[in-house]
Amino acid sequence: MTKQYKTLGEFIIENQDSFKYSSGELSRLLNGLRLAAKVVNHEVNKAGLVDILGEAGDQNIQGENQQKLDVLANEKFIQTLKKREIVCGIASEEEDDFISINSFDNQHQNKYVVLIDPLDGSSNIDVNVSVGTIFSIYRRVTPVGTPVTIEDFLQPGVNQIAAGYIIYGTSTMLVYTTGDGVNGFTLNPALGTFYLSHPNMSFPENGNIYSVNEGNYVHFPQGVKDYIKYCQKEEDDRPYTSRYIGSLVSDFHRNMIKGGIYMYPKSSVASEGKLRLLYECNPMAFIAEQANGLASDGKNRIMEVKPTELHQRVPFFCGSRNMVEKAEEFMKNANA
Ligand SMILES: O=P(O)(O)OC[C@H]1O[C@](O)(COP(=O)(O)O)[C@@H](O)[C@@H]1O
């Protein structure tokens, strides 16, 4: 008897009542993201055959050259959410400002805003290395029935209602949390259906993988240099293994399954690091904490950082609990 896997649709409905403020609206939103994920997955898989590789010719507000697939993924997620009238606002890595969603008869009645990194790991798109999508969902703080404002987006990570990522890798998976543990669903491309393949995902407390762009070593703070040397030292269960895909979603996913730490520290060339607080670090931090891991800026809990700008960056240390604590210890000792 082949194993019966629960579908993502079934799982969302079954767990609807455990959602805070459950009204079915969050379920419809998660289903909208599920649909957009399948559309983007289809585009990613055939990228080499159609004209969606390479640069789009424009730069986003962060001065990054947008890849054609960045732009396409951004459009697909925004269109899918807009058409289904399931959010009152969207913010995206590829949009300068937040988008207030209002349709004629909806009158801003929706409760949720979504923040999204439509295509994470852009530098890997053209070279067929796994990339991802990251999303974060908040309940608006301004009154329902009025247009959303920046306040609805600049909320600390602890206010997240749900967060997740899609990884377009050897298989396509959607991994998410609504604050009640982390579950992973694998897409069966033949049926176009996500199935619960990884229930209750959890970071091992310890790991032996460290993920950091060592090409930036000379620019790193002393504490990070000391921690990397610690990882490389022949002692106890070390040296650890260095693994860096260059796609946050992929490095995070591997480390959650095998045990490890991902670091994108600040440096002498990037005073706040590279990763964006609202649609990269906060959602991954929510998932990490729900999976028994930790996420900090090297000192403070990421999810308690009070956001001040839509595209602000923060240093990011995330993964197995004991490894993140050890890295923080080196940062503290080096006062860096
Ligand atoms: O090439 P670098 O500087 O190591 O940066 C790689 C990191 O930047 C990211 O690509 C984030 O940026 P994008 O969302 O623009 O792709 C992460 O996925 C990855 O871990």
Side-chain angles (χ1 to χ4, degrees):
M1 169 78 176
T2 48
K3 183 171 177 199
Q4 290 305 310
Y5 289 93
K6 197 173 290 183
T7 70
L8 175 54
E10 288 164 343
F11 186 88
I12 290 171
I13 296 301
E14 275 174 23
N15 290 278
Q16 181 167 285
D17 296 336
S18 72
F19 299 158
K20 222 169 156 189
Y21 320 104
S22 165
S23 66
E25 201 173 318
L26 184 59
S27 300
R28 288 193 294 121
L29 175 44
L30 291 169
N31 281 321
L33 291 166
R34 168 177 62 140
L35 176 62
K38 290 195 259 189
V39 173
V40 170
N41 177 61
H42 181 65
E43 299 296 336
V44 167
N45 285 348
K46 63 177 172 138
L49 302 173
V50 287
D51 180 25
I52 44 174
L53 290 180
E55 296 190 351
D58 298 321
Q59 285 199 335
N60 62 22
I61 189 166
Q62 295 134 77
E64 294 166 337
N65 296 332
Q66 290 181 313
Q67 305 296 310
K68 288 179 185 165
L69 214 46
D70 282 326
V71 175
L72 184 133
N74 189 49
E75 281 163 11
K76 295 297 179 193
F77 275 94
I78 292 177
Q79 274 169 21
T80 307
L81 296 175
K82 255 188 177 170
K83 280 209 191 109
R84 279 160 186 74
E85 297 181 5
I86 38 185
V87 289
C88 54
I90 301 174
S92 164
E93 179 182 328
E94 304 307 333
E95 300 287 336
D96 296 3
D97 203 350
F98 66 87
I99 304 166
S100 173
I101 310 279
N102 176 38
S103 62
F104 178 71
D105 50 11
N106 182 291
Q107 299 305 324
H108 308 290
Q109 287 308 317
N110 288 320
K111 297 193 294 258
Y112 299 112
V113 295
V114 171
L115 299 102
I116 198 163
D117 177 356
L119 219 286
D120 171 63
S122 311
S123 62
N124 283 325
I125 295 171
D126 293 3
V127 290
N128 205 1
V129 172
S130 63
V131 292
T133 293
I134 308 173
F135 64 86
S136 171
I137 300 173
Y138 290 87
R139 187 180 166 79
R140 62 182 303 172
V141 291
T142 53
V144 168
T146 64
V148 287
T149 71
I150 190 69
E151 276 178 81
D152 295 307
F153 297 91
L154 298 184
Q155 299 189 51
V158 284
N159 290 6
Q160 288 176 99
I161 297 289
Y165 59 82
I166 298 112
I167 178 167
Y168 312 102
T170 43
S171 62
T172 294
M173 284 187 68
L174 190 155
V175 175
Y176 80 103
T177 183
T178 55
D180 187 16
V182 176
N183 292 282
F185 300 79
T186 299
L187 181 66
N188 176 333
L191 303 177
T193 304
F194 283 100
Y195 289 93
L196 179 58
S197 53
H198 296 63
N200 304 316
M201 299 181 82
S202 180
F203 273 96
E205 291 230 334
N206 288 303
N208 68 349
I209 297 170
Y210 68 102
S211 310
V212 64
N213 185 340
E214 292 188 65
N216 298 330
Y217 183 88
V218 283
H219 303 302
F220 286 155
Q222 192 54 46
V224 175
K225 289 179 177 175
D226 296 344
Y227 179 66
I228 292 173
K229 286 293 165 231
Y230 168 87
C231 292
Q232 296 169 339
K233 192 166 182 204
E234 191 155 16
E235 192 181 50
D236 302 334
D237 62 342
R238 287 167 283 125
Y240 296 150
T241 295
S242 171
R243 287 280 183 279
Y244 190 69
I245 295 169
S247 294
L248 165 63
V249 164
S250 312
D251 283 310
F252 177 98
H253 188 75
R254 183 212 41 249
N255 291 350
M256 180 158 66
I257 292 171
K258 296 197 167 194
I261 183 172
Y262 169 97
M263 301 179 280
Y264 208 108
K266 65 181 181 183
S267 70
S268 56
V269 288
S271 60
E272 289 304 321
K274 175 185 182 180
L275 301 184
R276 283 48 61 124
L277 173 63
L278 287 174
Y279 42 78
E280 289 173 322
C281 301
N282 267 337
M284 301 312 271
F286 189 20
I287 298 164
E289 291 193 8
Q290 283 291 316
N292 190 34
L294 285 180
S296 82
D297 62 5
K299 197 161 155 225
N300 311 302
R301 187 184 173 208
I302 281 286
M303 293 220 290
E304 285 171 10
V305 173
K306 176 77 186 82
T308 53
E309 289 164 38
L310 210 49
H311 302 286
Q312 76 184 78
R313 302 173 193 263
V314 282
F316 194 51
F317 297 75
C318 182
S320 293
R321 176 172 293 280
N322 296 342
M323 296 181 84
V324 174
E325 285 172 347
K326 182 57 89 176
E328 290 173 340
E329 195 185 305
F330 275 95
M331 298 287 284
K332 195 163 170 221
N333 295 345
N335 293 324

